Amino acid sequence: MPLSQDDINGCREAFNKFDKDGSGTIDASELKATLNAMGQSPTEEEIFQMISQVDDDNSGEIEFAEFLKVIENQKDSAAKANDETDTIEAFVALGGNGDKTGEISTDKLRAVTKDFGLTIDIEKLIRETDTDGSGKVDYAEFKEMMA
Ligand SMILES: [Ca+2]
Ligand SMILES: [Ca+2]
């Protein structure tokens, strides 16, 4: 998802906060200082990993273009998290309706979980979701389950 001009302006501000010495790049100590200020205490290794994940030109520092990409990636994954398509598809596959109506049976859920060899604790999920023990899960409950 492309960033808007507003996003880029916001990134520039954030970048400048990180870039304490105004060198135009964020180095390891600047990243660490900023994260510390945010109440996080990453180890040297974690800092190194964060930088190397985005450091396309292997300069050991984060340039603005690399910083933008981090924000862009975060935006993408946030957009994906909001995207319900997968949840609805799964709901339909289990016997619900595409318009989020209908219910799926917990028996079906158990069977599918087993078929796919999923390691989730489906009994626990069902107990937590189907609190009235009706053996049926509606879309809202299913979505909660997938969250
Ligand atoms: Ca700097
Ligand atoms: Ca770099």
Side-chain angles (χ1 to χ4, degrees):
M1 185 178 298
L3 296 170
S4 68
Q5 191 56 45
D6 270 0
D7 288 334
I8 293 173
N9 291 344
C11 289
R12 175 54 82 181
E13 261 176 50
F15 185 85
N16 290 344
K17 274 190 201 128
F18 277 86
D19 182 19
K20 297 197 188 306
D21 65 359
S23 65
T25 61
I26 300 168
D27 61 29
S29 66
E30 286 168 342
L31 184 58
K32 192 159 190 264
T34 307
L35 290 172
N36 285 344
M38 286 161 65
Q40 298 183 31
S41 44
T43 62
E44 297 290 331
E45 200 184 339
E46 282 165 344
I47 295 279
F48 176 76
Q49 272 174 1
M50 280 180 218
I51 293 180
S52 61
Q53 265 170 16
V54 292
D55 187 17
D56 282 346
D57 61 2
N58 293 316
S59 63
E61 300 183 329
I62 303 174
E63 284 79 26
F64 186 58
E66 292 167 348
F67 184 76
L68 273 186
K69 237 178 39 196
V70 178
I71 305 295
E72 212 171 338
N73 287 343
Q74 269 178 359
K75 229 185 144 186
D76 272 353
S77 44
K80 259 187 215 123
N82 286 333
D83 186 358
E84 284 187 60
T85 313
D86 286 353
T87 311
I88 294 174
E89 269 175 19
F91 185 67
V92 172
L94 289 163
N97 300 319
D99 60 0
K100 304 182 193 176
T101 61
E103 291 173 325
I104 55 185
S105 77
T106 50
D107 286 344
K108 178 103 185 168
L109 265 177
R110 283 191 189 92
V112 169
T113 309
K114 208 169 151 225
D115 283 352
F116 283 95
L118 300 177
T119 52
I120 54 170
D121 187 350
I122 190 69
E123 295 301 332
K124 182 168 172 275
L125 272 178
I126 289 173
R127 264 201 316 277
E128 285 171 1
T129 310
D130 181 25
T131 45
D132 61 358
S134 64
K136 302 277 181 197
V137 174
D138 65 22
Y139 182 75
E141 291 169 338
F142 182 68
K143 196 178 156 203
E144 193 68 21
M145 226 182 214
M146 296 292 114

